[in-house]
Amino acid sequence: MLKSTIMRARINLVSQKLKNKHQIQNHWTILRKELFRQVQSHVQSLLGEEGSGLASYRQVYEKEFSSQWTVANKAELLSSLRRVQFIFIGDFHAIPQSQKAQLRILRMLDVRREIILAVEFFEAKKQIHLDNYLQGKITEKEFLKAIEWKRNWGFPWDHYRGLLKWAIKNQIRVVGINIKLKERSSKTLEKRDLFSAKELLKIHHKNPAAQVVVIYGDLHLARPHLLKPLKERLRQKFEDVAVVIYQNSEKIFFQLLDRGIETEVDLVRLGKNRYCLLSVPPWVKWQNYLLFLEQHTDKSLSGDWESDFTDHVARLVQVLGQLLEIQVNCDAFSIYSAKDSSFWDKLDSVPSLE
C-alpha cells in the first residue's frame, strides 16, 4: 500500500513538472510570435499599405510553404547541388545573414566545374563595369560609383562584398541579370521576372556545360514567377536540372517552434530539389529590415547615423513583461551600442567602488 502511494506521488510530481514545462514552452512560443508580429507590423507601417497586386505576388510566394515538408541535412542538399545545372538561392536584401548563407552554399560547390554566378543586385546593362571590377581594372570605389550602387540597389554593399570576393578568388564569372524599372508594381515585377529568365536562358545556351548559380529575391523564386518562363523554355524537365533554396520562411519556422525543434533543424525539403534554409528567427530577420528602413526613410539623417536601439529594446521588454506579468518602466533605462563613445564617458563619471 505504501509503495503504491509513493508511486502515485511520484507520477503526480512528474506530471506536474511536465505540465509546468509545457506552460513555460507555451509562454515562450507566444512571446516569440508576438515579437515577430510587432516588428513586422512596424515594418509595414513604414512601407505603407501594400497594393493588391503586390499582395497577390507575395501570396503566391507564400503558397510555396503550404505543402508538407521533411527535415533535410546538408549532405542531402550537397548531393542535389552536384547534379543540377541551375541553383537558385533566395535573398532577403536587408539582413547580412542571408548573404552569408549564400556564401556558405557557394563554398560547398566544386569550383573545378565551370560556374557562372547570376545575380539580381546588378543590372544587365552595367555588365561592362562589373567585368572591369572583377578583372581588377577599376577599384571597388570606382565600380560602385559607375553602377550607382546606392541609388540603384541601396542595400548595404558590405552584405554582398563577400560574394564578389569569393568569385574573384575562384575566377568565377559574375553576371547581372536585373533591369531597373521606375515604378514598383506586380506588372513591373513580372517584367523583371521575364527579363531575368531570358537572360538566364542566354547564359545557359552560350555555356551549356556551366552550372549557373542564381541569387535573387525570395519572392521572385516562387514557381509561377521567375521560374515559370524559364521552365517553359527549357528542354529538360525543370525539377531535374534546378535546385531552389528559399530562406527563412516564417511559416516553417513557427511550425518547427510548435514542435519544439526550431533549434535542431536549419534545413527542410519542400519537394524534389526544393529546400528552405533557416538561418535566423523571423523577428531577427524583420528587426534588421526595420532598422534598415528607419535609417533610409529619414532623409535628414547623415551617412554616419547609427540606429537608436532604445525603442526596439523597450518594445521587446514590454512584451516580455506582459507575458511574465511584471510591471516594467521603460523610461528607466538607456541603450548603448559598441560604437557609442558617450557610453565610455558615462562610465568614467561613475564613482569608483574602491
Side-chain angles (χ1 to χ4, degrees), residues 302-317:
S302 68
D304 295 330
W305 176 82
E306 184 181 354
S307 302
D308 181 0
F309 297 100
T310 304
D311 290 342
H312 303 291
V313 175
R315 184 164 55 248
L316 304 185
V317 171

Side-chain angles (χ1 to χ4, degrees), residues 94-137:
I95 62 170
Q97 293 92 336
S98 181
Q99 292 79 44
K100 288 178 180 177
Q102 294 158 11
L103 185 56
R104 285 194 290 270
I105 293 171
L106 291 175
R107 288 172 175 166
M108 295 169 65
L109 304 180
D110 184 358
V111 294
R112 293 171 298 181
R113 178 178 181 179
E114 183 185 3
I115 296 173
I116 298 174
L117 182 59
V119 299
E120 177 194 16
F121 49 88
F122 293 141
E123 292 179 75
K125 70 177 184 179
K126 304 282 188 178
Q127 188 65 41
I128 183 64
H129 304 301
L130 177 54
D131 290 340
N132 287 338
Y133 172 64
L134 294 173
Q135 294 165 17
K137 295 179 181 179

